[in-house]
Amino acid sequence: MTGQGAAPVLARVLVVDDERPALDELRYLLERDPRVGEVLTRDSATAGLKVLQETEVDAVFLDIQMPGLTGLELAQVLGRFRTPPPVVFVTAHEAHAVDAFDLRAVDYVLKPVRAERLAEAVRRVVDGADRTGAVADLQVPVELGGVTRFVARSEITHVEAQGDYARLHTTSGGSHLVRTPLSTLEEEWAEAGFVRIHRSLLVALAHVAEVRTEAGRCTVRVGPAGGAEGSGPGHELVVSRRHTRELRDLLLRRAGS
């Protein structure tokens, strides 16, 4: 039940899972969330796609491993929609987290699903819906000692190319290697304010604290000056000549918006 009072933020959601117990459990938990209105369910990705072609939904909660069309394949199809709905993957397998990241999933929930964990996934979808004109904070899967963990994209200060991989540097001073080329991240994260400042560097405009030009050499500092408590000392990054003017223009437009 959605309860009384304000209308739910997510008026209609779709749940797709080929296992009936899992499908029923997800529907039960979502129907209890006051932020969720109507819950549609389908037991195959093909049936789910038919719904999505005929009906507008505010979010899709999607299993990955299903006979025939898989959840990942369905998400790829949704990515070609003019306005694709947010996708939350709900699966028993950690191994697909990186693939989910590549498909811009809002969240990745492991089975058996806990009510509080699903509520967190709903919150992430709602936060994205509430930010008119803004981009929802992507949760980026990273591998730490064989365990998949998630880092919020908003915590990433800059990204450094390392061959076919990229190293993500965060506000905490830590870094994580992901198997995604810098060129791919440049294209996919442009809307979130990540810009190239060098052939091997992307920087998050939101974390640029200072731009300095000395003797024709431009640098930016990301992160707090001197290192705030619980954070790294910041990084000074060199901006290539070809990217200097573009970066200045972007920062001026951002300051004036």
Side-chain angles (χ1 to χ4, degrees):
M1 301 297 291
T2 58
Q4 298 179 351
V9 179
L10 308 178
R12 181 183 297 116
V13 303
L14 173 65
V15 180
V16 182
D17 197 311
D18 65 309
E19 297 179 351
R20 175 54 61 177
L23 193 65
D24 290 343
E25 177 70 7
L26 280 172
R27 179 174 58 189
Y28 171 74
L29 292 174
L30 288 169
E31 286 179 340
R32 295 182 61 195
D33 194 313
R35 297 166 295 182
V36 178
E38 182 181 7
V39 180
L40 305 178
T41 60
R42 293 296 184 272
D43 61 5
S44 73
T46 302
L49 178 58
K50 188 173 188 300
V51 170
L52 292 162
Q53 290 171 331
E54 299 172 350
T55 307
E56 185 175 341
V57 303
D58 295 308
V60 181
F61 292 80
L62 185 58
D63 188 19
I64 288 182
Q65 292 190 336
M66 293 182 283
L69 188 69
T70 70
L72 291 173
E73 291 167 340
L74 175 55
Q76 288 173 340
V77 174
L78 294 183
R80 296 195 288 270
F81 280 29
R82 177 172 295 181
T83 308
V87 172
V88 173
F89 284 110
V90 184
T91 177
H93 306 279
E94 285 191 5
H96 298 292
V98 173
D99 297 319
F101 157 64
D102 289 339
L103 292 168
R104 302 188 183 187
V106 173
D107 206 347
Y108 191 90
V109 180
L110 289 174
K111 297 178 180 177
V113 178
R114 295 178 291 109
E116 58 271 23
R117 182 64 184 86
L118 187 62
E120 170 65 14
V122 171
R123 183 193 66 77
R124 290 177 179 174
V125 175
V126 169
D127 282 353
D130 281 346
R131 288 184 229 169
T132 304
V135 180
D137 196 5
L138 186 71
Q139 301 297 309
V140 183
V142 298
E143 299 294 329
L144 293 173
V147 176
T148 301
R149 300 188 184 279
F150 292 86
V151 173
R153 182 169 58 185
S154 61
E155 296 176 3
I156 298 170
T157 59
H158 61 290
V159 186
E160 179 183 6
Q162 293 196 351
D164 292 333
Y165 291 71
R167 182 167 294 281
L168 313 178
H169 295 265
T170 68
T171 54
S172 67
S175 69
H176 309 278
L177 195 65
V178 295
R179 61 182 191 196
T180 306
L182 193 72
S183 57
T184 299
L185 294 180
E186 178 185 16
E187 179 181 351
E188 294 185 350
W189 290 7
E191 61 187 2
F194 283 78
V195 298
R196 189 182 287 264
I197 62 169
H198 190 278
R199 66 181 181 180
S200 61
L201 284 172
L202 296 181
V203 67
L205 294 179
H207 289 291
V208 173
E210 181 181 271
V211 180
R212 178 176 298 179
T213 303
E214 293 180 351
R217 177 176 179 265
C218 181
T219 62
V220 297
R221 180 175 53 77
V222 293
E229 184 178 353
S231 67
H235 295 266
E236 186 175 359
L237 309 172
V238 175
V239 183
S240 69
R241 288 182 181 272
R242 62 174 295 197
H243 291 102
T244 296
R245 182 171 182 176
E246 179 185 3
L247 176 65
R248 284 175 176 165
D249 290 345
L250 284 169
L251 288 170
L252 285 172
R253 288 202 299 270
R254 189 178 183 92
S257 62

